[in-house]
Amino acid sequence: MKVKLGNSEYSIKFGFKPTLKSHLIKDVSESVSEQDGSLESVEKLLLETLPKMLLVGLQVNHKDEFGYDYDTNEKYDEQFNKVLNLLSEKIDDGEIDCIELFNELENELESNSFLAKMMETEKKNRTPAKKTPSKTANKN
């Protein structure tokens, strides 16, 4: 997935380690389930979850510009604020629809990351197998 921020276009990819170390899956899940239309839930989504998703998605291909240490979170706040400022500028200019971007990032996380295969396997495991009638049950 590509996202244009500032004068640059970035490739978003949710890598295994940055995604899991940041607890992004939990945060996205909570943000989605908390969407009750309240101002608090919208603020959390826009001020916390959206920039975090973007920052984590930038780690694989743009660590040189947006990188932080996943184990210690060193430079996390600095990089988070950098992303938040870029987002803020583009949202204020009307170049980015923040809810649309959140939905695209969420879709990318679910469809094109290491999670895609895990989620597909989980769905298959939850889908009950078709039952065929027993031959002995039909005899009377």
Side-chain angles (χ1 to χ4, degrees), residues 24-78:
L24 183 65
I25 299 165
K26 178 180 139 253
D27 291 345
V28 170
S29 177
E30 286 176 359
S31 285
V32 169
S33 65
E34 290 174 0
Q35 284 306 304
D36 57 6
S38 71
L39 291 178
E40 282 182 18
S41 66
V42 172
E43 285 177 349
K44 181 179 179 187
L45 176 84
L46 299 179
L47 288 173
E48 296 174 24
T49 309
L50 178 61
K52 183 176 185 176
M53 287 176 81
L54 194 52
L55 178 59
V56 171
L58 289 165
Q59 296 306 298
V60 171
N61 294 314
H62 305 284
K63 191 171 177 95
D64 56 329
E65 187 176 351
F66 295 99
Y68 66 93
D69 186 304
Y70 316 133
D71 295 317
T72 65
N73 277 344
E74 183 180 347
K75 293 182 74 179
Y76 176 84
D77 290 337
E78 175 186 331

Side-chain angles (χ1 to χ4, degrees), residues 110 115-126:
E110 293 173 355
L115 285 176
K117 286 185 181 179
M118 288 174 49
M119 293 176 86
E120 185 177 313
T121 301
E122 179 64 22
K123 282 181 187 175
K124 285 180 184 175
N125 290 340
R126 279 190 275 146

